[in-house]
Amino acid sequence: MMIKRFIVISLCVVLPLWGDSNKAFDWDKLEVQLKNQYGPRAGLRLRAWEKVLSDPNLPTDLNKLDRVNRFFNLLNFVDDIPLWGEKDYWATPLEFIGANGGDCEDFSIAKYFSLLELGIPENKLRITYVKALSLNQFHMVLAYYDTPSSIPLILDNINPKILPSTQRRDLLPIYSFNGENLWLSKAKGQGKLAGKSSRLQSWNKLRSRFSAASLRTPLYSLD
């Protein structure tokens, strides 16, 4: 089992990107930072993300899932080594948007935080590590549970259509987590609670750079 390689993320970590959690995000400041770091198109993507997070026409969870999934699936899929120069680099949402691409972890992380910001409770969301059977490789998706006993809906960058996990027979779940807990998967449902997600060792590494001041530049531009 490869649990120790992965990162636990919590909303309390993402908020310092924008300062005081009781204040609105400083989008103007973020735009300047991303333009300086990644180029002018990165600023446009940031503003498009701002529109997603402030869209008043998303009355239901399903509307929010669809909006966020479609937005991030417009970005490019690129493996970590050519883009960042190291294996299993987990980009923050700002780095993902700035670089205009990333791998499956980056898609899932960005969707997770965006849905939290849109008001979906954390206990409805799980970042889920799976085996993509058709590709014969490990993969990551975001799962949404309407209720604790619901069959989850899967948000994926390989298959852009949001489907129940029972219709994603190409995915074999291994484990999942959110900002609180970690589950080992035995089926396409809830899985077995395996403790707190703080067990995952890469947590502090991500937390230490989860700020606008530590944005990383990719090895090449996707713009």
Side-chain angles (χ1 to χ4, degrees), residues 1 128-133 141 145 154 165 168-176 184-189:
M1 187 59 64
T128 305
Y129 185 58
V130 302
K131 179 74 175 292
L133 300 177
V141 298
Y145 294 77
I154 303 301
S165 62
R168 292 300 308 272
R169 300 188 184 280
D170 58 315
L171 302 180
L172 177 66
I174 299 173
Y175 73 90
S176 61
L184 301 180
S185 300
K186 292 186 174 180
K188 291 187 181 290

mmCIF file of all heavy atoms in Angstrom, residues 1 128-133 141 145 154 165 168-176 184-189:
data_model
loop_
_atom_site.group_PDB
_atom_site.id
_atom_site.type_symbol
_atom_site.label_atom_id
_atom_site.label_comp_id
_atom_site.label_asym_id
_atom_site.label_seq_id
_atom_site.Cartn_x
_atom_site.Cartn_y
_atom_site.Cartn_z
ATOM 1 N N MET A 1 0.838 -1.201 0.000
ATOM 2 C CA MET A 1 0.000 0.000 0.000
ATOM 3 C C MET A 1 0.869 1.246 0.000
ATOM 4 O O MET A 1 1.883 1.302 0.671
ATOM 5 C CB MET A 1 -0.901 -0.011 1.241
ATOM 6 C CG MET A 1 -1.911 1.109 1.244
ATOM 7 S SD MET A 1 -3.022 1.076 -0.177
ATOM 8 C CE MET A 1 -3.858 -0.475 0.134
ATOM 9 N N THR A 128 -9.730 10.521 -4.122
ATOM 10 C CA THR A 128 -9.734 9.057 -4.166
ATOM 11 C C THR A 128 -8.662 8.522 -5.105
ATOM 12 O O THR A 128 -8.607 8.880 -6.281
ATOM 13 C CB THR A 128 -11.121 8.551 -4.615
ATOM 14 O OG1 THR A 128 -12.123 9.099 -3.741
ATOM 15 C CG2 THR A 128 -11.192 7.030 -4.552
ATOM 16 N N TYR A 129 -7.831 7.663 -4.554
ATOM 17 C CA TYR A 129 -6.752 7.019 -5.302
ATOM 18 C C TYR A 129 -7.288 5.712 -5.873
ATOM 19 O O TYR A 129 -7.852 4.889 -5.131
ATOM 20 C CB TYR A 129 -5.588 6.773 -4.355
ATOM 21 C CG TYR A 129 -4.340 6.221 -4.988
ATOM 22 C CD1 TYR A 129 -3.686 6.895 -6.014
ATOM 23 C CD2 TYR A 129 -3.785 5.031 -4.523
ATOM 24 C CE1 TYR A 129 -2.525 6.400 -6.568
ATOM 25 C CE2 TYR A 129 -2.622 4.525 -5.071
ATOM 26 C CZ TYR A 129 -1.997 5.210 -6.089
ATOM 27 O OH TYR A 129 -0.846 4.710 -6.643
ATOM 28 N N VAL A 130 -7.140 5.529 -7.179
ATOM 29 C CA VAL A 130 -7.737 4.383 -7.862
ATOM 30 C C VAL A 130 -6.723 3.768 -8.816
ATOM 31 O O VAL A 130 -5.671 4.343 -9.116
ATOM 32 C CB VAL A 130 -9.000 4.789 -8.661
ATOM 33 C CG1 VAL A 130 -10.045 5.416 -7.755
ATOM 34 C CG2 VAL A 130 -8.638 5.736 -9.809
ATOM 35 N N LYS A 131 -7.058 2.590 -9.324
ATOM 36 C CA LYS A 131 -6.346 2.000 -10.458
ATOM 37 C C LYS A 131 -7.240 2.180 -11.676
ATOM 38 O O LYS A 131 -8.396 1.749 -11.687
ATOM 39 C CB LYS A 131 -6.100 0.509 -10.207
ATOM 40 C CG LYS A 131 -5.378 -0.220 -11.347
ATOM 41 C CD LYS A 131 -3.915 0.130 -11.397
ATOM 42 C CE LYS A 131 -3.169 -0.692 -12.449
ATOM 43 N NZ LYS A 131 -3.073 -2.129 -12.098
ATOM 44 N N ALA A 132 -6.733 2.877 -12.686
ATOM 45 C CA ALA A 132 -7.457 3.040 -13.941
ATOM 46 C C ALA A 132 -7.194 1.786 -14.777
ATOM 47 O O ALA A 132 -6.123 1.637 -15.381
ATOM 48 C CB ALA A 132 -7.000 4.295 -14.670
ATOM 49 N N LEU A 133 -8.157 0.887 -14.798
ATOM 50 C CA LEU A 133 -7.934 -0.437 -15.380
ATOM 51 C C LEU A 133 -7.693 -0.370 -16.881
ATOM 52 O O LEU A 133 -6.871 -1.114 -17.420
ATOM 53 C CB LEU A 133 -9.131 -1.336 -15.063
ATOM 54 C CG LEU A 133 -9.405 -1.550 -13.561
ATOM 55 C CD1 LEU A 133 -10.662 -2.387 -13.373
ATOM 56 C CD2 LEU A 133 -8.210 -2.197 -12.876
ATOM 57 N N VAL A 141 -9.055 10.681 -8.588
ATOM 58 C CA VAL A 141 -10.307 11.343 -8.935
ATOM 59 C C VAL A 141 -10.868 11.988 -7.672
ATOM 60 O O VAL A 141 -10.361 11.786 -6.570
ATOM 61 C CB VAL A 141 -11.336 10.341 -9.516
ATOM 62 C CG1 VAL A 141 -10.815 9.721 -10.802
ATOM 63 C CG2 VAL A 141 -11.694 9.256 -8.490
ATOM 64 N N TYR A 145 -20.205 12.444 -2.199
ATOM 65 C CA TYR A 145 -21.235 11.632 -1.544
ATOM 66 C C TYR A 145 -22.378 12.543 -1.105
ATOM 67 O O TYR A 145 -22.194 13.377 -0.225
ATOM 68 C CB TYR A 145 -20.665 10.934 -0.313
ATOM 69 C CG TYR A 145 -19.616 9.890 -0.608
ATOM 70 C CD1 TYR A 145 -18.307 10.254 -0.926
ATOM 71 C CD2 TYR A 145 -19.921 8.534 -0.560
ATOM 72 C CE1 TYR A 145 -17.342 9.297 -1.194
ATOM 73 C CE2 TYR A 145 -18.962 7.567 -0.812
ATOM 74 C CZ TYR A 145 -17.680 7.958 -1.130
ATOM 75 O OH TYR A 145 -16.728 7.010 -1.401
ATOM 76 N N ILE A 154 -18.362 10.583 -9.460
ATOM 77 C CA ILE A 154 -16.936 10.689 -9.726
ATOM 78 C C ILE A 154 -16.646 11.848 -10.668
ATOM 79 O O ILE A 154 -17.203 11.936 -11.764
ATOM 80 C CB ILE A 154 -16.395 9.379 -10.336
ATOM 81 C CG1 ILE A 154 -16.695 8.199 -9.404
ATOM 82 C CG2 ILE A 154 -14.910 9.498 -10.621
ATOM 83 C CD1 ILE A 154 -16.093 8.327 -8.017
ATOM 84 N N SER A 165 -20.123 5.948 -9.260
ATOM 85 C CA SER A 165 -18.993 5.025 -9.279
ATOM 86 C C SER A 165 -19.374 3.654 -9.834
ATOM 87 O O SER A 165 -18.527 2.959 -10.395
ATOM 88 C CB SER A 165 -18.421 4.872 -7.867
ATOM 89 O OG SER A 165 -19.388 4.327 -6.991
ATOM 90 N N ARG A 168 -18.500 3.468 -13.341
ATOM 91 C CA ARG A 168 -17.081 3.615 -13.662
ATOM 92 C C ARG A 168 -16.355 2.314 -13.340
ATOM 93 O O ARG A 168 -15.513 2.246 -12.449
ATOM 94 C CB ARG A 168 -16.485 4.791 -12.892
ATOM 95 C CG ARG A 168 -17.003 6.156 -13.323
ATOM 96 C CD ARG A 168 -16.727 6.460 -14.786
ATOM 97 N NE ARG A 168 -15.333 6.277 -15.150
ATOM 98 C CZ ARG A 168 -14.389 7.226 -15.039
ATOM 99 N NH1 ARG A 168 -14.719 8.428 -14.588
ATOM 100 N NH2 ARG A 168 -13.145 6.983 -15.395
ATOM 101 N N ARG A 169 -16.696 1.295 -14.065
ATOM 102 C CA ARG A 169 -16.096 -0.024 -13.841
ATOM 103 C C ARG A 169 -14.645 -0.073 -14.289
ATOM 104 O O ARG A 169 -13.944 -1.071 -14.061
ATOM 105 C CB ARG A 169 -16.924 -1.104 -14.525
ATOM 106 C CG ARG A 169 -18.361 -1.146 -14.004
ATOM 107 C CD ARG A 169 -19.145 -2.328 -14.538
ATOM 108 N NE ARG A 169 -20.520 -2.290 -14.090
ATOM 109 C CZ ARG A 169 -20.941 -2.687 -12.889
ATOM 110 N NH1 ARG A 169 -20.061 -3.160 -12.024
ATOM 111 N NH2 ARG A 169 -22.207 -2.617 -12.570
ATOM 112 N N ASP A 170 -14.198 0.991 -14.929
ATOM 113 C CA ASP A 170 -12.790 1.093 -15.316
ATOM 114 C C ASP A 170 -11.907 1.565 -14.172
ATOM 115 O O ASP A 170 -10.678 1.597 -14.309
ATOM 116 C CB ASP A 170 -12.648 2.055 -16.497
ATOM 117 C CG ASP A 170 -13.187 3.448 -16.172
ATOM 118 O OD1 ASP A 170 -14.290 3.539 -15.581
ATOM 119 O OD2 ASP A 170 -12.515 4.438 -16.516
ATOM 120 N N LEU A 171 -12.508 1.922 -13.028
ATOM 121 C CA LEU A 171 -11.753 2.417 -11.882
ATOM 122 C C LEU A 171 -11.854 1.448 -10.717
ATOM 123 O O LEU A 171 -12.955 1.057 -10.319
ATOM 124 C CB LEU A 171 -12.283 3.790 -11.441
ATOM 125 C CG LEU A 171 -12.269 4.909 -12.485
ATOM 126 C CD1 LEU A 171 -12.832 6.186 -11.867
ATOM 127 C CD2 LEU A 171 -10.869 5.148 -13.044
ATOM 128 N N LEU A 172 -10.723 1.084 -10.164
ATOM 129 C CA LEU A 172 -10.683 0.227 -8.980
ATOM 130 C C LEU A 172 -10.211 1.068 -7.798
ATOM 131 O O LEU A 172 -9.046 1.465 -7.738
ATOM 132 C CB LEU A 172 -9.724 -0.943 -9.202
ATOM 133 C CG LEU A 172 -9.530 -1.887 -8.016
ATOM 134 C CD1 LEU A 172 -10.829 -2.634 -7.710
ATOM 135 C CD2 LEU A 172 -8.391 -2.861 -8.299
ATOM 136 N N PRO A 173 -11.101 1.386 -6.841
ATOM 137 C CA PRO A 173 -10.711 2.250 -5.727
ATOM 138 C C PRO A 173 -9.736 1.545 -4.787
ATOM 139 O O PRO A 173 -9.863 0.357 -4.513
ATOM 140 C CB PRO A 173 -12.041 2.558 -5.032
ATOM 141 C CG PRO A 173 -12.922 1.413 -5.379
ATOM 142 C CD PRO A 173 -12.519 0.981 -6.761
ATOM 143 N N ILE A 174 -8.777 2.310 -4.279
ATOM 144 C CA ILE A 174 -7.786 1.780 -3.349
ATOM 145 C C ILE A 174 -7.930 2.441 -1.981
ATOM 146 O O ILE A 174 -8.083 1.775 -0.975
ATOM 147 C CB ILE A 174 -6.368 1.968 -3.913
ATOM 148 C CG1 ILE A 174 -6.244 1.205 -5.236
ATOM 149 C CG2 ILE A 174 -5.311 1.488 -2.906
ATOM 150 C CD1 ILE A 174 -4.943 1.461 -5.971
ATOM 151 N N TYR A 175 -7.873 3.757 -1.941
ATOM 152 C CA TYR A 175 -8.162 4.471 -0.706
ATOM 153 C C TYR A 175 -8.601 5.880 -1.032
ATOM 154 O O TYR A 175 -8.435 6.362 -2.158
ATOM 155 C CB TYR A 175 -6.966 4.473 0.264
ATOM 156 C CG TYR A 175 -5.820 5.361 -0.133
ATOM 157 C CD1 TYR A 175 -5.765 6.689 0.274
ATOM 158 C CD2 TYR A 175 -4.766 4.860 -0.887
ATOM 159 C CE1 TYR A 175 -4.713 7.503 -0.075
ATOM 160 C CE2 TYR A 175 -3.695 5.679 -1.231
ATOM 161 C CZ TYR A 175 -3.666 6.995 -0.828
ATOM 162 O OH TYR A 175 -2.618 7.809 -1.165
ATOM 163 N N SER A 176 -9.161 6.560 -0.043
ATOM 164 C CA SER A 176 -9.640 7.929 -0.236
ATOM 165 C C SER A 176 -9.436 8.722 1.045
ATOM 166 O O SER A 176 -9.274 8.154 2.132
ATOM 167 C CB SER A 176 -11.124 7.930 -0.642
ATOM 168 O OG SER A 176 -11.920 7.339 0.369
ATOM 169 N N LEU A 184 -9.793 3.053 3.604
ATOM 170 C CA LEU A 184 -9.337 2.025 2.694
ATOM 171 C C LEU A 184 -10.545 1.478 1.964
ATOM 172 O O LEU A 184 -11.556 1.142 2.588
ATOM 173 C CB LEU A 184 -8.622 0.903 3.442
ATOM 174 C CG LEU A 184 -7.393 1.333 4.257
ATOM 175 C CD1 LEU A 184 -6.772 0.118 4.942
ATOM 176 C CD2 LEU A 184 -6.371 2.028 3.368
ATOM 177 N N SER A 185 -10.458 1.382 0.660
ATOM 178 C CA SER A 185 -11.619 1.024 -0.147
ATOM 179 C C SER A 185 -11.695 -0.484 -0.347
ATOM 180 O O SER A 185 -10.716 -1.116 -0.735
ATOM 181 C CB SER A 185 -11.552 1.719 -1.509
ATOM 182 O OG SER A 185 -11.535 3.116 -1.337
ATOM 183 N N LYS A 186 -12.876 -1.013 -0.091
ATOM 184 C CA LYS A 186 -13.144 -2.421 -0.357
ATOM 185 C C LYS A 186 -14.152 -2.593 -1.479
ATOM 186 O O LYS A 186 -14.316 -3.661 -2.017
ATOM 187 C CB LYS A 186 -13.668 -3.114 0.897
ATOM 188 C CG LYS A 186 -12.630 -3.238 2.006
ATOM 189 C CD LYS A 186 -13.166 -4.065 3.155
ATOM 190 C CE LYS A 186 -12.086 -4.307 4.197
ATOM 191 N NZ LYS A 186 -12.598 -5.123 5.332
ATOM 192 N N ALA A 187 -14.838 -1.514 -1.798
ATOM 193 C CA ALA A 187 -15.840 -1.541 -2.863
ATOM 194 C C ALA A 187 -15.978 -0.124 -3.367
ATOM 195 O O ALA A 187 -15.189 0.748 -3.032
ATOM 196 C CB ALA A 187 -17.174 -2.075 -2.329
ATOM 197 N N LYS A 188 -17.030 0.126 -4.149
ATOM 198 C CA LYS A 188 -17.222 1.468 -4.700
ATOM 199 C C LYS A 188 -18.021 2.362 -3.770
ATOM 200 O O LYS A 188 -18.449 3.424 -4.132
ATOM 201 C CB LYS A 188 -17.884 1.376 -6.080
ATOM 202 C CG LYS A 188 -16.977 0.772 -7.145
ATOM 203 C CD LYS A 188 -17.607 0.854 -8.491
ATOM 204 C CE LYS A 188 -16.728 0.225 -9.553
ATOM 205 N NZ LYS A 188 -15.525 1.023 -9.816
ATOM 206 N N GLY A 189 -18.250 1.912 -2.552
ATOM 207 C CA GLY A 189 -18.987 2.713 -1.604
ATOM 208 C C GLY A 189 -18.059 3.391 -0.614
ATOM 209 O O GLY A 189 -17.001 3.888 -0.955
#
